[in-house]
Amino acid sequence: MEKEINALREKLRKADRVAVLTGAGISAESGVPTFRGSGGLWRNYQATDLATPQAFAKDPELVWEFYNWRRDLISKVTYNPAHRALVDLESLVPNFTLITQNVDGLHLLAGSQNLLEIHGNLWKVRCTRCREITLDRSPDLGTSPKCKTCGGLLRPHVIWFGESLDQDILHRSIEASTNSRVMLVIGTSSVVQPAASLALEAKSRGAVVAEINLERTPNSSSMDFSLIGKAGEIVPRLVEGWK
Ligand code: OAD
């Protein structure tokens, strides 16, 4: 592992353009549950079954209970050494883009700047009637929060399964990935599109691609580096000794 980390650090040092994609695994060590695996259950529900427009249409109160639970939990945690190391990496690389599937806002809290939150942000809400988007950091919004402008039912301003990504953000993510010299994929199960294919596109355009995950993923065999372990331990080692 030591050898691989050193080799990847050298690739990063030489790269003028770096893209990073993160998923729920980077926040796991902060105490934020992942969507799949052992952290993916809330009460008796799979988290992935509640993050859908169908679940919200059927039972908005249940979905809001789930999101209030997530908001409350996330309001009590903070960024970890992996988030922090990516802030350091951004300061060391001339052209750096961080693409995250996470809605927890921890990259922003840590200080990342060139950040694309492709699945939205948990602290934003959107009116289902007038579509107005507002920022609301209260941990508990109740199970039937209403829009202050029109009285419509609010929903979390996040992308759910089956919903399209913001086209501008998607375009910028593809551009950053395909133009990168090195792309890191950290803590994502690499099963949700289009995020899952960003690293493969980068590789097909000549980028060195590296995965950091607790376990192997469907993308592991396509990676130039597959570092198995905790993000909070491995990512800081990639920037160690640079400053
Ligand atoms: P998942 O929950 O699918 O995957 C988390 C990944 O992180 C797994 O591959 C774990 O092995 C890995 N992992 C866990 N702890 C780790 C640690 N300490 N260090 C490194 N890796 C670790 O989460 P995502 O891939 O982010 O979408 O899921 C993608 C999307 O599916 C989410 O953004 C969400 C979900 O439904 C929406 O909400 C739209």
Side-chain angles (χ1 to χ4, degrees):
M1 173 85 97
E2 182 73 31
K3 238 172 136 181
E4 277 197 293
I5 290 178
N6 290 342
L8 179 55
R9 190 190 299 112
E10 280 318 299
K11 298 282 182 198
L12 283 165
R13 264 186 204 278
K14 289 187 191 129
D16 54 348
R17 289 192 296 275
V18 170
V20 179
L21 170 68
T22 64
I26 197 168
S27 296
E29 288 160 75
S30 291
V32 182
T34 54
F35 283 86
R36 295 170 189 78
S38 57
L41 270 187
W42 172 74
R43 297 193 189 159
N44 279 329
Y45 302 95
Q46 277 293 335
T48 46
D49 288 339
L50 292 174
T52 67
Q54 291 80 5
F56 191 69
K58 190 172 155 218
D59 194 346
E61 298 198 347
L62 176 71
V63 174
W64 264 117
E65 270 187 73
F66 170 61
Y67 275 92
N68 283 327
W69 170 74
R70 283 186 73 83
R71 288 167 74 96
D72 181 57
L73 191 149
I74 291 165
S75 71
K76 293 177 179 142
V77 304
T78 191
Y79 56 85
N80 66 53
H83 296 101
R84 198 53 237 169
L86 292 180
V87 177
D88 292 340
L89 188 59
E90 179 165 18
S91 72
L92 295 164
V93 173
N95 201 316
F96 179 92
T97 307
L98 176 53
I99 305 156
T100 188
Q101 297 169 91
N102 298 344
V103 298
D104 56 33
L106 293 182
H107 285 301
L108 272 178
L109 196 64
S112 284
Q113 287 176 20
N114 195 19
L115 174 67
L116 300 170
E117 292 181 307
I118 63 172
H119 287 166
N121 187 301
L122 191 79
W123 301 113
K124 289 181 184 165
V125 291
R126 182 167 86 238
C127 177
T128 55
R129 192 187 292 163
C130 75
R131 316 259 167 231
E132 189 176 61
I133 297 162
T134 43
L135 191 69
D136 192 331
R137 289 197 155 267
S138 30
D140 188 349
L141 293 176
T143 53
S144 191
K146 296 285 165 31
C147 173
K148 291 196 177 76
T149 309
C150 79
L153 178 64
L154 295 175
R155 59 161 280 178
H157 184 50
V158 299
I159 307 286
W160 283 330
F161 279 108
E163 297 185 319
S164 329
L165 268 57
D166 177 291
Q167 288 306 298
D168 174 53
I169 293 180
L170 175 62
H171 180 76
R172 285 158 63 200
S173 303
I174 294 171
E175 201 170 64
S177 307
T178 53
N179 287 337
S180 68
R181 299 294 166 103
V182 178
M183 180 154 187
L184 307 180
V185 180
I186 307 170
T188 173
S189 54
S190 289
V191 294
V192 176
Q193 291 295 354
S197 57
L198 289 176
L200 303 181
E201 284 176 36
K203 186 175 164 89
S204 74
R205 300 282 288 271
V208 169
V209 291
E211 181 179 69
I212 296 155
N213 201 299
L214 271 188
E215 56 192 24
R216 288 178 68 81
T217 75
N219 276 356
S220 298
S221 53
S222 312
M223 294 284 152
D224 297 299
F225 294 86
S226 175
L227 305 177
I228 305 290
K230 289 185 174 178
E233 289 168 11
I234 296 175
V235 188
R237 286 170 68 191
L238 290 173
V239 293
E240 254 165 36
W242 271 33
K243 285 201 249 182

